[in-house]
């Protein structure tokens, strides 16, 4: 097997473009999925039964849906309903739907894990419901949420690769294109894996560190 | 039932807290079954009695952490208000200390203390810090000002919690079993802070199982059983000559010779 | 707009074959991944230091790279390196097993480490060997504790099996895609696929949640 790694350097701008789109996809999705997750969490904790029901069905459904199938579904089925989304947006919608479901579960666990005594203590000091949330509950919930949230982020970062099936020019797609153009299959695919590794490995380590730092101790 | 009023520290002023036939239920369980009692200004009142007899519930109803189902609670001449905002105005005037401390774990000791004055009363930060230091001095923990609660012992946490409640300048302090969650060796430091506070004339309502503290520090004892005050009186009378059979039984159970 | 589900009935054998591939790929992968993951997890806790280091690098790398990339590399690049070609199903099986094993090893390791060291000391004090301690004392406690997270891996495996359609494994998603393209009925085909996948995965996630609530009191000892 004779290898020619210079091909990887020739495609450096394509790879860089792919990396930028991968990062952009993940960031835009998370910017949608954080408020999305908060809304769904509030619905699940709401006193209105119908809202609780809708939110529960939403979360259960999207936790059980393979992302790749959801991508296909939005890409091929939505146009039948007159909704034509460009591939990038299709990817953001599919990813956001699923990540919002995961985020809502993470946030809910965080908020529910704060003992009732803490809100009693805040109320006894004369705090309003709003002050209580901002000063006492949310800062603690955020710490509890950080490890699980960072896990979701890393999963999201990796899952952006699945959007390549509808030709969004993120790292996987541009790599597969480069492979087809250059016929240097081994070099290009190995470079793709290596680039993902370089991006993902520090993130995985950061997650471990956050898990150790904010591990719930009681 | 109630002993004659002239035996009590009657100083001619109206009581600061009055309970009129207070009732509280949780589902089928009746936690308070018609409690009628008074707490005067400057008095230390200890609530004693078996677990589940309603002492803590009465305390939690006093600052409206729980809503009562019947009767009324009068604070400083007016019934406890309804509605979030009015309730908050009353809560500012009462300090509460919890069995499990409930310090805010994400704030240092001093931040725990000045948090409420700054956010609730809108006190300038600098003034709140000065106040916090004077309170830390009072509870003997100035050197722990910048420690987080997880670095403090139970007794130290509870002393910070007392300082936190005092920072609001309360007219009455509510103590809900403040030493029950403590290691035996740290109980003393908390009780001594409470004794000092009583000595300064602070009005205190204390739910406690520390009988020697109740006997030594309190002006008035209320004995609870099954959601009622079955007997009340001066500590000497209650501990030496209890009249109710259930009181005698309870005191014997906690090791007090009657 | 009108619906036409007849392509599904006309091609039901083809779709069923795909579904069987999805199921067998998932089941085989989870079995292989459990054995491999269990071994890696235990080796990282009890094995020699150099081995633990190598395995840690393997596990962290698998956590850093998307499943799709592992699959594609295994199918297209790996055969070039070793000089044999792998059928899609077996490439998918190897890639999925190796990938899921990394996650399972983390779960096993976490479970074992969550058992207090006092338990090990107690077993040693009773004169047990290291192997006896692991088998009789640590693992029985750890297994119960990791059940919920393990259940989570089952649903992730089924979801990841759908990715294998990208390397033309004739699984349910791949066959659905082919039928959808041939019959111009993506709405019906993909919607039914969505329902079928949810029907497979939902019982797994629900029972995992149930396990969590049943076992939550075990916590960390």
């Amino acid at each position: 097997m004779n290898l020619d790694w210079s091909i990887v350097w020739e495609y450096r701008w394509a790879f860089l473009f792919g990396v930028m789109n991968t990062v952009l996809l993940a960031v835009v999705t998370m910017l949608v999925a954080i408020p999305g997750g908060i809304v769904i969490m509030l619905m699940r904790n709401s006193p209105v039964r119908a809202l609780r029901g809708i939110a529960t069905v939403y979360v259960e459904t999207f936790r059980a849906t393979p992302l790749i199938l959801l991508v296909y579904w939005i890409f091929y089925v939505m146009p039948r309903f007159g909704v034509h989304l460009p591939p990038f947006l299709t990817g953001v919608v599919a990813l956001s739907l699923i990540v919002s479901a995961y985020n809502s579960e993470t946030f809910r666990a965080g908020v529910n894990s704060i003992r009732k005594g803490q809100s009693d203590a805040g109320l006894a000091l004369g705090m309003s419901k709003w002050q209580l949330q901002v000063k006492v509950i949310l800062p603690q919930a955020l710490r509890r949420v950080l490890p699980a949230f960072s896990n979701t982020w890393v999963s999201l970062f990796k899952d952006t690769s699945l959007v390549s099936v509808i030709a969004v020019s993120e790292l996987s797609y541009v790599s597969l294109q480069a492979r087809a153009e250059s016929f240097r299959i081994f070099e290009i695919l190995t470079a793709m894996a290596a680039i993902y590794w370089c991006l993902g490995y520090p993130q995985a380590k950061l997650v471990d560190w956050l898990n150790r730092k904010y591990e719930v101790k009681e | 039932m109630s002993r004659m009023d002239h035996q009590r520290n009657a100083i001619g002023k109206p009581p600061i807290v009055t309970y009129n036939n207070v009732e509280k239920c949780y589902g089928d369980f009746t936690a308070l079954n018609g409690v009628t009692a008074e707490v005067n200004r400057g008095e230390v009142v200890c609530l004693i009695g078996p677990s589940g007899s309603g002492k803590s519930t009465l305390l939690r109803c006093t600052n409206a952490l729980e809503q009562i189902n019947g009767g009324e609670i009068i604070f400083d001449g007016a019934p406890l208000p309804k509605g979030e905002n009015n309730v908050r105005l009353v809560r500012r005037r009462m300090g509460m200390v919890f069995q499990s401390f409930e310090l805010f774990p994400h704030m240092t000791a001093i931040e725990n203390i000045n948090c409420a004055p700054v956010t609730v009363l809108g006190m300038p930060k600098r003034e709140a810090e000065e106040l916090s230091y004077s309170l830390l001095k009072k509870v003997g923990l100035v050197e722990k000002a910048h420690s987080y609660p997880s670095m403090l012992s139970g007794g130290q946490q509870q002393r910070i919690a007392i300082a936190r409640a005092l920072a609001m300048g309360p007219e009455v302090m509510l103590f809900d079993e403040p030493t029950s969650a403590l290691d035996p060796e740290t109980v003393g430091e908390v009780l001594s802070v409470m004794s000092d506070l009583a000595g300064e004339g602070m009005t205190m309502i204390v739910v406690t199982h520390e009988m020697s503290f109740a006997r030594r520090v309190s002006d008035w004892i209320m004995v609870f059983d099954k959601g009622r005050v079955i007997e009340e009186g001066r500590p000497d009378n209650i501990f030496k000559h209890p009249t109710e059979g259930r009181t005698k039984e309870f005191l014997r159970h906690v090791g007090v010779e009657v | 707009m009108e619906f036409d589900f007849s392509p599904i009935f006309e091609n039901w054998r083809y779709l069923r074959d795909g579904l069987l591939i999805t199921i067998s790929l998932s089941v085989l992968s989870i079995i292989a991944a459990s054995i491999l993951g269990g071994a890696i997890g235990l080796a990282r806790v009890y094995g020699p230091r150099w081995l633990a280091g190598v395995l840690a690098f393997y596990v962290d790398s698998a956590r850093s790279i998307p499943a799709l990339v592992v699959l594609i590399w295994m199918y297209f690049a790996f055969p070039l390196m070793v000089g044999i070609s792998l059928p899609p199903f077996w490439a998918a099986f190897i890639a999925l097993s190796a990938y899921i094993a990394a996650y399972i090893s983390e779960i096993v390791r976490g479970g074992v480490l969550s058992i207090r060291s006092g338990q090990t000391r107690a077993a040693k004090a009773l004169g047990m060997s290291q192997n006896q301690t692991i088998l009789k004392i640590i693992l029985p406690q750890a297994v119960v504790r990791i059940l919920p997270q393990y259940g989570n891996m089952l649903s992730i495996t089924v979801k990841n099996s759908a990715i294998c359609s990208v390397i033309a494994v004739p699984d349910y998603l791949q066959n659905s895609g082919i039928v959808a393209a041939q019959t111009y009925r993506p709405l019906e085909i993909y919607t039914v696929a969505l329902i079928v996948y949810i029907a497979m995965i939902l019982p797994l996630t629900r029972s995992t949640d149930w396990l969590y609530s049943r076992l939550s009191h075990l916590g960390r000892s």
Side-chain angles (χ1 to χ4, degrees):
Chain A
M1 175 177 194
N2 60 349
L3 297 175
D4 178 12
W5 291 101
S6 67
I7 194 75
V8 175
W9 182 246
E10 278 174 38
Y11 277 96
R12 63 192 180 279
W13 297 115
F15 281 126
L16 184 66
F17 180 67
V19 168
M20 279 165 53
N21 271 334
T22 289
V23 173
L24 191 64
L25 259 175
V27 169
V28 172
T29 298
M30 205 39 117
L31 288 178
V32 177
I34 289 174
I38 291 174
V39 168
I40 296 159
M41 171 202 73
L42 292 176
M43 282 170 71
R44 285 201 91 179
N45 279 348
S46 132
V48 183
R49 204 181 160 149
L51 287 181
R52 278 207 309 273
I54 293 169
T56 307
V57 170
Y58 176 92
V59 171
E60 293 295 337
T61 304
F62 284 108
R63 277 174 63 201
T65 303
L67 172 65
I68 189 168
L69 175 53
L70 188 62
V71 171
Y72 282 133
W73 195 89
I74 295 174
F75 194 67
Y76 289 116
V77 176
M78 290 311 279
R80 287 296 189 93
F81 294 102
V83 182
H84 295 267
L85 297 177
F88 187 89
L89 208 54
T90 302
V92 169
V93 171
L95 286 163
S96 304
L97 285 170
I98 286 183
V99 176
S100 296
Y102 282 102
N103 277 351
S104 79
E105 286 290 270
T106 305
F107 297 159
R108 197 163 70 108
V111 168
N112 292 355
S113 71
I114 310 301
R115 278 181 307 176
K116 182 170 178 294
Q118 288 285 302
S119 49
D120 281 349
L123 290 175
L125 288 167
M127 290 185 186
S128 67
K129 291 244 162 68
W130 177 246
Q131 289 169 335
L132 182 70
Q133 289 298 326
V134 172
K135 291 277 169 185
V136 178
I137 306 294
L138 282 180
Q140 294 187 57
L142 275 182
R143 276 156 214 244
R144 300 267 173 111
V145 153
L146 214 48
F149 179 77
S150 62
N151 262 328
T152 306
W153 165 263
V154 173
S155 298
L156 162 64
F157 193 83
K158 294 191 291 177
D159 283 347
T160 54
S161 63
L162 295 179
V163 179
S164 61
V165 298
I166 53 166
V168 177
S169 303
E170 44 66 74
L171 181 54
S172 301
Y173 184 76
V174 297
S175 305
L176 291 172
Q177 292 294 101
R179 175 204 63 156
E181 267 174 42
S182 68
F183 298 107
R184 306 293 332 180
I185 299 171
F186 188 85
E187 294 87 334
I188 294 287
L189 292 186
T190 303
M192 161 175 80
I195 295 169
Y196 269 113
W197 187 91
C198 290
L199 296 170
Y201 193 82
Q203 296 183 36
K205 283 307 193 191
L206 186 66
V207 169
D208 291 344
W209 179 78
L210 285 172
N211 270 294
R212 277 197 303 277
K213 187 163 175 3
Y214 292 115
E215 192 182 24
V216 177
K217 290 177 228 127
E218 284 200 86
Chain B
M1 222 344 248
S2 176
R3 278 158 193 271
M4 301 289 286
D5 235 5
H6 61 77
Q7 283 183 287
R8 207 166 170 180
N9 271 351
I11 40 178
K13 285 189 192 162
I16 185 159
V17 186
T18 308
Y19 303 96
N20 276 336
N21 207 21
V22 173
E23 288 172 24
K24 171 71 191 173
C25 328
Y26 298 100
D28 291 339
F29 177 71
T30 305
L32 296 176
N33 191 8
V35 171
T36 298
E38 288 174 1
V39 176
N40 295 314
R41 280 185 197 276
E43 222 175 26
V44 177
V45 174
C46 282
L47 316 186
I48 64 171
S51 303
S53 57
K55 313 172 301 272
S56 291
T57 305
L58 187 72
L59 215 58
R60 294 172 57 80
C61 290
T62 306
N63 67 354
L65 283 180
E66 306 277 352
Q67 302 300 317
I68 57 178
N69 304 113
E72 60 175 357
I73 298 176
I74 295 170
F75 175 67
D76 196 23
L80 283 188
K82 303 265 187 290
E84 167 87 18
N85 288 331
N86 293 328
V87 164
R88 286 176 57 210
L89 293 177
V90 171
R91 282 187 186 138
R92 288 182 196 179
R93 300 168 59 192
M94 306 185 192
M96 184 155 189
V97 176
F98 298 85
Q99 178 177 350
S100 45
F101 330 133
E102 301 299 350
L103 289 182
F104 304 133
H106 55 299
M107 300 180 193
T108 59
I110 192 158
E111 285 166 354
N112 262 282
I113 298 171
N114 65 32
C115 170
V118 171
T119 56
V120 178
L121 300 179
M123 188 184 283
K125 193 114 202 221
R126 172 154 305 204
E127 196 182 324
E129 298 237 312
E130 273 172 34
L131 171 68
S132 300
Y133 271 109
S134 72
L135 288 167
L136 280 169
K137 199 185 257 174
K138 185 179 192 127
V139 298
L141 286 172
V142 175
E143 76 281 6
K144 299 289 184 190
H146 299 289
S147 301
Y148 282 93
S150 58
M151 298 150 73
L152 302 174
S153 74
Q156 291 170 332
Q157 290 189 53
Q158 195 62 298
R159 281 146 70 194
I160 300 291
I162 292 172
R164 178 178 72 175
L166 289 173
M168 295 294 285
E171 293 162 53
V172 53
M173 286 285 286
L174 313 174
F175 291 86
D176 187 3
E177 301 198 27
T179 57
S180 296
L182 295 178
D183 294 331
E185 65 265 29
T186 64
V187 169
E189 62 194 63
V190 172
L191 291 181
S192 111
V193 167
M194 290 170 64
S195 302
D196 293 348
L197 206 53
E200 293 167 17
M202 174 63 77
T203 311
M204 293 162 58
I205 309 178
V206 186
V207 173
T208 187
H209 292 293
E210 293 290 332
M211 290 306 142
S212 59
F213 173 84
R215 192 166 188 167
R216 185 166 45 83
V217 178
S218 68
D219 303 299
W220 199 253
I221 302 264
M222 297 180 187
V223 186
F224 275 69
D225 191 53
K226 298 196 173 94
R228 291 170 172 278
V229 179
I230 54 167
E231 184 167 5
E232 58 181 322
R234 291 191 167 283
D236 280 351
N237 284 331
I238 294 288
F239 284 102
K240 282 187 189 140
H241 315 292
T243 55
E244 294 289 319
R246 294 283 296 155
T247 308
K248 289 179 194 164
E249 203 178 305
F250 169 73
L251 289 174
R252 247 195 309 275
H253 187 73
V254 296
V256 176
E257 288 297 319
V258 287
Chain C
M1 114 171 269
E2 85 240 48
F3 298 99
D4 179 8
F5 287 93
S6 62
I8 293 170
F9 300 113
E10 283 157 19
N11 296 287
W12 75 273
R13 277 174 208 279
Y14 186 59
L15 294 174
R16 179 205 60 190
D17 289 348
L19 191 57
L20 289 177
I21 293 283
T22 291
I23 293 170
S24 45
L25 180 60
S26 302
V27 171
L28 286 178
S29 301
I30 195 75
I31 291 172
S34 302
I35 296 168
L36 188 59
I40 296 173
L42 289 179
R44 279 188 70 186
V45 179
Y46 298 107
R49 177 169 284 210
W50 65 267
L51 182 61
V54 171
L55 292 175
F57 183 74
Y58 166 75
V59 169
D60 289 339
S61 298
R63 289 168 57 211
S64 319
I65 301 178
L68 174 81
V69 173
V70 177
L71 268 167
I72 286 178
W73 194 86
M74 187 58 75
Y75 182 61
F76 292 111
F78 180 71
L80 294 176
M81 195 168 80
V82 295
I84 48 154
S85 70
L86 281 171
F89 182 89
W90 294 107
F93 166 72
I94 295 172
L96 266 191
S97 305
Y99 193 71
I100 305 279
Y103 286 85
I104 290 182
S105 78
E106 282 290 87
I107 295 171
V108 170
R109 191 172 71 102
V112 168
L113 291 177
S114 77
I115 309 297
R116 275 179 304 169
S117 54
Q119 292 284 309
T120 308
R121 285 199 296 273
K124 291 235 167 81
L126 290 168
M128 289 187 178
S129 70
Q130 162 135 327
N131 285 344
Q132 285 169 332
T133 309
I134 296 172
L135 282 176
K136 302 253 173 190
I137 308 297
I138 306 295
L139 281 186
Q141 297 183 58
V143 162
V144 176
R145 226 171 259 200
I146 66 175
L147 269 181
Q149 288 158 289
Y150 183 75
N152 215 7
M153 292 316 297
L154 300 183
S155 55
I156 289 177
T157 305
V158 179
K159 284 191 244 179
N160 277 347
S161 79
I163 303 174
C164 300
S165 58
V166 173
I167 56 168
V169 174
D171 76 334
Y172 180 54
L173 182 58
Q174 168 77 358
N175 289 5
S176 293
I178 289 171
V179 174
Q182 285 173 352
T183 60
Y184 302 105
R185 284 283 160 196
L187 168 68
E188 293 83 351
I189 307 278
Y190 279 118
T191 305
V192 169
L194 209 51
I195 293 167
V196 168
Y197 270 104
I198 291 172
M200 280 193 287
I201 298 168
L202 197 62
L204 296 174
T205 54
R206 293 305 302 155
S207 44
T208 302
D209 287 352
W210 179 79
L211 274 174
Y212 263 111
S213 60
R214 285 297 299 273
L215 298 176
S216 61
H217 65 275
L218 288 171
R220 281 175 170 268
S221 60

PDB file of all heavy atoms in Angstrom, chain A residues 150-161:
ATOM      1  N   SER A 150     -22.533  19.301  29.294  1.00  0.00           N
ATOM      2  CA  SER A 150     -21.313  19.218  28.485  1.00  0.00           C
ATOM      3  C   SER A 150     -21.281  17.893  27.722  1.00  0.00           C
ATOM      4  O   SER A 150     -20.806  17.835  26.592  1.00  0.00           O
ATOM      5  CB  SER A 150     -20.077  19.368  29.371  1.00  0.00           C
ATOM      6  OG  SER A 150     -20.009  18.322  30.310  1.00  0.00           O
ATOM      7  N   ASN A 151     -21.819  16.826  28.332  1.00  0.00           N
ATOM      8  CA  ASN A 151     -21.952  15.558  27.617  1.00  0.00           C
ATOM      9  C   ASN A 151     -22.800  15.713  26.371  1.00  0.00           C
ATOM     10  O   ASN A 151     -22.468  15.215  25.302  1.00  0.00           O
ATOM     11  CB  ASN A 151     -22.640  14.524  28.519  1.00  0.00           C
ATOM     12  CG  ASN A 151     -21.634  13.621  29.180  1.00  0.00           C
ATOM     13  OD1 ASN A 151     -20.589  13.337  28.614  1.00  0.00           O
ATOM     14  ND2 ASN A 151     -21.951  13.176  30.377  1.00  0.00           N
ATOM     15  N   THR A 152     -23.932  16.398  26.541  1.00  0.00           N
ATOM     16  CA  THR A 152     -24.830  16.606  25.411  1.00  0.00           C
ATOM     17  C   THR A 152     -24.130  17.395  24.312  1.00  0.00           C
ATOM     18  O   THR A 152     -24.282  17.114  23.131  1.00  0.00           O
ATOM     19  CB  THR A 152     -26.101  17.348  25.867  1.00  0.00           C
ATOM     20  OG1 THR A 152     -26.677  16.632  26.951  1.00  0.00           O
ATOM     21  CG2 THR A 152     -27.106  17.469  24.739  1.00  0.00           C
ATOM     22  N   TRP A 153     -23.339  18.384  24.726  1.00  0.00           N
ATOM     23  CA  TRP A 153     -22.614  19.187  23.739  1.00  0.00           C
ATOM     24  C   TRP A 153     -21.679  18.311  22.896  1.00  0.00           C
ATOM     25  O   TRP A 153     -21.650  18.405  21.669  1.00  0.00           O
ATOM     26  CB  TRP A 153     -21.823  20.311  24.414  1.00  0.00           C
ATOM     27  CG  TRP A 153     -20.823  20.910  23.499  1.00  0.00           C
ATOM     28  CD1 TRP A 153     -19.501  20.613  23.419  1.00  0.00           C
ATOM     29  CD2 TRP A 153     -21.074  21.871  22.463  1.00  0.00           C
ATOM     30  NE1 TRP A 153     -18.905  21.332  22.409  1.00  0.00           N
ATOM     31  CE2 TRP A 153     -19.851  22.114  21.800  1.00  0.00           C
ATOM     32  CE3 TRP A 153     -22.213  22.534  22.030  1.00  0.00           C
ATOM     33  CZ2 TRP A 153     -19.735  22.992  20.736  1.00  0.00           C
ATOM     34  CZ3 TRP A 153     -22.091  23.423  20.969  1.00  0.00           C
ATOM     35  CH2 TRP A 153     -20.871  23.640  20.332  1.00  0.00           C
ATOM     36  N   VAL A 154     -20.924  17.435  23.557  1.00  0.00           N
ATOM     37  CA  VAL A 154     -19.992  16.580  22.816  1.00  0.00           C
ATOM     38  C   VAL A 154     -20.755  15.654  21.880  1.00  0.00           C
ATOM     39  O   VAL A 154     -20.372  15.461  20.719  1.00  0.00           O
ATOM     40  CB  VAL A 154     -19.095  15.783  23.792  1.00  0.00           C
ATOM     41  CG1 VAL A 154     -18.257  14.764  23.037  1.00  0.00           C
ATOM     42  CG2 VAL A 154     -18.189  16.720  24.561  1.00  0.00           C
ATOM     43  N   SER A 155     -21.881  15.092  22.355  1.00  0.00           N
ATOM     44  CA  SER A 155     -22.697  14.248  21.481  1.00  0.00           C
ATOM     45  C   SER A 155     -23.185  15.035  20.279  1.00  0.00           C
ATOM     46  O   SER A 155     -23.150  14.551  19.146  1.00  0.00           O
ATOM     47  CB  SER A 155     -23.914  13.708  22.238  1.00  0.00           C
ATOM     48  OG  SER A 155     -23.508  12.910  23.299  1.00  0.00           O
ATOM     49  N   LEU A 156     -23.642  16.247  20.538  1.00  0.00           N
ATOM     50  CA  LEU A 156     -24.133  17.090  19.450  1.00  0.00           C
ATOM     51  C   LEU A 156     -23.026  17.336  18.437  1.00  0.00           C
ATOM     52  O   LEU A 156     -23.225  17.220  17.228  1.00  0.00           O
ATOM     53  CB  LEU A 156     -24.642  18.425  20.015  1.00  0.00           C
ATOM     54  CG  LEU A 156     -24.797  19.569  19.017  1.00  0.00           C
ATOM     55  CD1 LEU A 156     -25.861  19.233  17.982  1.00  0.00           C
ATOM     56  CD2 LEU A 156     -25.169  20.873  19.734  1.00  0.00           C
ATOM     57  N   PHE A 157     -21.843  17.658  18.944  1.00  0.00           N
ATOM     58  CA  PHE A 157     -20.721  17.949  18.062  1.00  0.00           C
ATOM     59  C   PHE A 157     -20.467  16.774  17.118  1.00  0.00           C
ATOM     60  O   PHE A 157     -20.249  16.951  15.927  1.00  0.00           O
ATOM     61  CB  PHE A 157     -19.475  18.250  18.899  1.00  0.00           C
ATOM     62  CG  PHE A 157     -18.363  18.859  18.106  1.00  0.00           C
ATOM     63  CD1 PHE A 157     -18.351  20.216  17.864  1.00  0.00           C
ATOM     64  CD2 PHE A 157     -17.352  18.068  17.586  1.00  0.00           C
ATOM     65  CE1 PHE A 157     -17.331  20.783  17.114  1.00  0.00           C
ATOM     66  CE2 PHE A 157     -16.339  18.634  16.839  1.00  0.00           C
ATOM     67  CZ  PHE A 157     -16.330  19.996  16.605  1.00  0.00           C
ATOM     68  N   LYS A 158     -20.539  15.566  17.674  1.00  0.00           N
ATOM     69  CA  LYS A 158     -20.308  14.385  16.843  1.00  0.00           C
ATOM     70  C   LYS A 158     -21.494  14.113  15.921  1.00  0.00           C
ATOM     71  O   LYS A 158     -21.326  13.694  14.779  1.00  0.00           O
ATOM     72  CB  LYS A 158     -20.041  13.176  17.740  1.00  0.00           C
ATOM     73  CG  LYS A 158     -18.742  13.308  18.520  1.00  0.00           C
ATOM     74  CD  LYS A 158     -18.344  12.024  19.181  1.00  0.00           C
ATOM     75  CE  LYS A 158     -19.278  11.672  20.313  1.00  0.00           C
ATOM     76  NZ  LYS A 158     -18.920  10.367  20.916  1.00  0.00           N
ATOM     77  N   ASP A 159     -22.691  14.355  16.441  1.00  0.00           N
ATOM     78  CA  ASP A 159     -23.888  14.049  15.647  1.00  0.00           C
ATOM     79  C   ASP A 159     -24.041  14.958  14.432  1.00  0.00           C
ATOM     80  O   ASP A 159     -24.756  14.605  13.490  1.00  0.00           O
ATOM     81  CB  ASP A 159     -25.141  14.152  16.524  1.00  0.00           C
ATOM     82  CG  ASP A 159     -25.295  12.937  17.419  1.00  0.00           C
ATOM     83  OD1 ASP A 159     -24.584  11.940  17.168  1.00  0.00           O
ATOM     84  OD2 ASP A 159     -26.105  12.975  18.357  1.00  0.00           O
ATOM     85  N   THR A 160     -23.381  16.126  14.452  1.00  0.00           N
ATOM     86  CA  THR A 160     -23.481  16.985  13.272  1.00  0.00           C
ATOM     87  C   THR A 160     -23.017  16.236  12.026  1.00  0.00           C
ATOM     88  O   THR A 160     -23.453  16.542  10.923  1.00  0.00           O
ATOM     89  CB  THR A 160     -22.616  18.251  13.419  1.00  0.00           C
ATOM     90  OG1 THR A 160     -21.273  17.857  13.723  1.00  0.00           O
ATOM     91  CG2 THR A 160     -23.137  19.168  14.511  1.00  0.00           C
ATOM     92  N   SER A 161     -22.152  15.217  12.217  1.00  0.00           N
ATOM     93  CA  SER A 161     -21.646  14.474  11.061  1.00  0.00           C
ATOM     94  C   SER A 161     -22.781  13.798  10.280  1.00  0.00           C
ATOM     95  O   SER A 161     -22.666  13.590   9.075  1.00  0.00           O
ATOM     96  CB  SER A 161     -20.643  13.412  11.526  1.00  0.00           C
ATOM     97  OG  SER A 161     -21.280  12.471  12.366  1.00  0.00           O
TER      98      SER A 161
END
